[in-house]
Amino acid sequence: MAHSEASPMEGSNRILEEYHINEVVGFALPHPLEELPPAFEGWIRIAKSLPELIDNGQLREEVDQLPTLSIDELKGHRLQRLAHLALGCITMAYVWNQRRDDDVKEVLPRNIAVPYRQLSDKLGLPPILSYADCVLANWKKKDPNGNMDVLFTFPGGDCGRGFFLVSLLVEIAASSAIQAVPTVCSAVQHQDQKALEKAFEAIAESLNNARTYFQRMQNFVDPNQFFNVLRIYLSGWKNNPKLPNGLLYEGVSDTPEMFAGGSAGQSSIFQCLDILLGIKHSSGKGSPAEFLQEMREYMPPAHRNFLRSLESGPSVREFVMSRGNEDVRNAYNNCVQGLVSLRKFHLEIVRTYIVKPSSNQQHGGENRGTGGTNLMEFLKSVMKATENAIL
Ligand code: HEM
Ligand SMILES: Brc1ccc(-c2csc3nccn23)cc1
C-alpha cells in the first residue's frame, strides 16, 4: 500500500476522511450541489424534467439541440459529481426513452458523450448512471427539519424518489458501522478484546438501525412501477440483448462500449462489511465474488481504494477465531447476523419488486436484476455466504 495512503489499521477518523468517507453520511456525498454554472443550464433543465420530456416525446429532440460544452469551468469534486449525475440521467433517458424495444438508441450524440466521458475520466467513474450518482449524490435537504428529496428522477411516479432515498437512508444509517472500522482494525492490532467487543457492538447496532429504514421501501415504492418503468431506466448495456454491442459514445470512440447497469453491488457499505468480517462469496467465472469485484470499478476511486486497503490488513475474523474471548465472538456473530437479517429482508423485497411482477409478464419473467444478474441465485448465494460466516 502506498506510504502516503493511511491504512485503516492506524485507527483514526482522519483515515476515513482521506478516503472521502464522511462521519455523518458515510460513503454518500455530503451536501451535494444543485446548480451548475449558467452555461450548463440546459443539462440541469433537461435532467430535472425527464418524466415530462419522455412522456411528451420531446426528450431526444431537446438533447440533440444541446451545445457541446467544455467542462473546464466545472471546477471541484461536487460540481463534477452533479454534472456527472445530470448527464448520467440524461444518457439513460436518451437511450431508453419511452421504453419501447424497437426504439433504443445505440449512439449517444457527441454533444453529451464527449463531456460525459471527460467528466467520467476526471472522477474515475464509469460513463453510465451508477449507484454513486443516483443514490450517493442525488439528494438535498428539503427543509430545515431534515426531510430529504432527490435532485433527479425518472418516469414511474414517486418510485424513483422512494427507491433512491430509501437506499440513501440505509447508507446513512449504516455509516456509523463504517465509523467503527478503524477502531476494529486498531483493536485487532493491539489485541484489545474490550475495544474490539465495543466496536463490534456499535456495528451490530448500526446494522439493526439500517434495517428499519429498509422497511420503508414498501411505503414509497410501487412494485409494478418499479419493475415495468424505473428498472428499465437503470438498465445498462453490458450483456443486454437490447444493446448487444453496447453503446457508441460518438466523438469518443469508433466502436460501441459495454457498461453494466446500476446495482447496489456498487454500494461500498456492504462490500466494506463483508471484507471487515471476513465474509467470502463464492468465486469463479460468473460468480457473486466476480460480480462484486467488477462492481468496485463503478465506485468512486477513493472508496475503491478504501476497500483495497482494508483487504490488505490483518484478518479480523482470524483474530476472533483464534484469540477472541467469548464476548468478542458473540459481538462478532451479532455483526454477521445483522448483515444476514438485512440480506434476508432484501430478498423479500426483491421477491415483491421483481420476482412477482416479472411472473405477471407474458414471457415468464426474465430473472434479471437492475445490474443484469440472475438475481435470486446471486442474492441467495450472497446471503448464504454471510450466514456461513457465523462462528
Ligand atoms: C425495490 C427495492 C430493491 C430492489 C428491487 C432491489 C433489487 C436488487 C437486485 C436485483 C440485486 C442484484 C444485483 C443487481 O442486479 O443489482 C440487488 C443487489 C443489492 N441490493 Fe438491492 N434492491 C432494492 C433495494 C435495496 C436497498 C434499499 C438496499 C440498501 C442500500 C439494497 C442493497 C443491495 C445490495 C448491497 C446489493 C448487492 C448484493 C449484496 O451485497 O447483498 N437494495 N438488489
Ligand atoms: Br443507478 C442505481 C443503481 C442501483 C440502485 C440501487 C439502489 S438499492 C439497489 N439494489 C439494487 C440496485 N440498487 C439505484 C440506482
Side-chain angles (χ1 to χ4, degrees):
M1 174 177 0
H3 65 85
S4 60
E5 269 181 9
S7 134
M9 268 45 82
E10 288 163 19
S12 97
N13 283 348
R14 172 183 56 78
I15 299 166
L16 295 175
E17 275 148 35
E18 185 170 315
Y19 287 102
H20 295 184
I21 300 168
N22 178 269
E23 60 184 325
V24 175
V25 297
F27 290 104
L29 182 69
H31 315 299
L33 296 180
E34 295 179 47
E35 313 222 323
L36 291 176
F40 300 85
E41 72 75 33
W43 293 2
I44 296 296
R45 173 177 51 78
I46 293 174
K48 290 270 187 196
S49 317
L50 296 179
E52 299 78 33
L53 291 172
I54 290 167
D55 285 353
N56 64 30
Q58 288 174 338
L59 186 275
R60 286 179 173 157
E61 189 185 324
E62 288 287 324
V63 173
D64 289 338
Q65 286 165 15
L66 284 172
T68 300
L69 298 170
S70 153
I71 66 162
D72 294 349
E73 195 183 341
L74 296 176
K75 306 280 188 217
H77 184 75
R78 279 187 174 74
L79 216 45
Q80 290 160 6
R81 287 289 293 275
L82 173 59
H84 192 265
L85 166 61
L87 288 180
C89 293
I90 290 172
T91 295
M92 300 315 244
Y94 193 87
V95 169
W96 305 118
N97 198 26
Q98 294 180 337
R99 307 186 309 282
R100 286 204 314 270
D101 287 357
D102 62 349
D103 178 35
V104 171
K105 269 287 183 220
E106 297 181 341
V107 178
L108 190 67
R110 68 181 65 246
N111 60 344
I112 50 171
V114 170
Y116 191 29
R117 288 304 288 257
Q118 290 169 340
L119 277 166
S120 300
D121 295 346
K122 239 184 207 312
L123 289 166
L125 288 172
I128 187 168
L129 194 66
S130 67
Y131 188 90
D133 293 312
C134 229
V135 175
L136 302 182
N138 183 21
W139 65 278
K140 63 180 181 183
K141 281 266 166 57
K142 208 162 62 170
D143 49 40
N145 44 18
N147 291 319
M148 299 157 103
D149 201 352
V150 290
L151 301 179
F152 309 106
T153 189
F154 293 96
D158 262 354
C159 182
R161 173 177 290 106
F163 185 57
F164 302 142
L165 283 185
V166 170
S167 307
L168 175 69
L169 289 172
V170 171
E171 285 276 335
I172 294 174
S175 69
S176 47
I178 306 308
Q179 291 302 309
V181 166
T183 313
V184 166
C185 296
S186 164
V188 165
Q189 197 170 10
H190 299 100
Q191 309 203 17
D192 182 338
Q193 304 261 4
K194 201 64 194 159
L196 185 55
E197 182 194 338
K198 290 283 162 246
F200 280 153
E201 283 170 353
I203 291 173
E205 188 187 341
S206 168
L207 292 177
N208 294 335
N209 180 39
R211 193 179 176 296
T212 62
Y213 287 95
F214 237 121
Q215 276 152 329
R216 299 191 186 184
M217 191 59 79
Q218 274 99 331
N219 314 352
F220 297 105
V221 183
D222 170 70
N224 288 309
Q225 286 293 328
F226 173 86
F227 183 77
N228 297 307
V229 183
L230 180 69
R231 184 179 61 96
I232 311 306
Y233 292 106
L234 306 185
S235 307
W237 31 93
K238 180 172 184 180
N239 307 325
N240 187 337
K242 294 175 188 168
L243 275 170
N245 304 313
L247 181 69
L248 178 72
Y249 293 76
E250 190 185 44
V252 175
S253 55
D254 301 333
T255 52
E257 294 170 81
M258 294 198 172
F259 291 100
S263 161
Q266 300 160 3
S267 160
S268 305
I269 286 256
F270 287 74
Q271 293 222 30
C272 169
L273 293 171
D274 280 345
I275 296 166
L276 186 79
L277 300 170
I279 295 165
K280 302 286 181 212
H281 296 293
S282 56
S283 54
K285 185 119 185 62
S287 67
E290 187 186 65
F291 175 74
L292 291 169
Q293 192 63 39
E294 182 193 350
M295 288 299 108
R296 290 193 196 178
E297 295 312 307
Y298 290 68
M299 295 175 183
H303 298 169
R304 190 184 315 145
N305 293 336
F306 178 70
L307 297 182
R308 264 193 215 130
S309 70
L310 205 48
E311 241 159 13
S312 66
S315 164
V316 170
R317 181 179 166 84
E318 276 309 308
F319 177 81
V320 174
M321 288 170 75
S322 56
R323 298 163 177 269
N325 63 35
E326 193 182 347
D327 292 339
V328 162
R329 287 166 70 89
N330 289 339
Y332 169 87
N333 280 339
N334 289 341
C335 294
V336 177
Q337 192 52 57
L339 215 40
V340 171
S341 309
L342 269 174
R343 283 173 159 149
K344 278 187 173 171
F345 191 80
H346 180 263
L347 269 164
E348 284 317 304
I349 283 187
V350 176
R351 284 192 184 92
T352 306
Y353 283 88
I354 296 187
V355 180
K356 285 195 193 100
S358 71
S359 59
N360 302 335
Q361 302 261 331
Q362 70 279 7
H363 50 74
E366 46 168 329
N367 213 359
R368 294 159 54 86
T370 49
T373 54
N374 181 314
L375 58 96
M376 289 310 278
E377 212 179 287
F378 165 75
L379 290 169
K380 278 180 193 158
S381 163
V382 167
M383 189 276 292
K384 283 280 171 231
T386 313
E387 224 165 27
N388 293 342
I390 302 256
L391 295 176

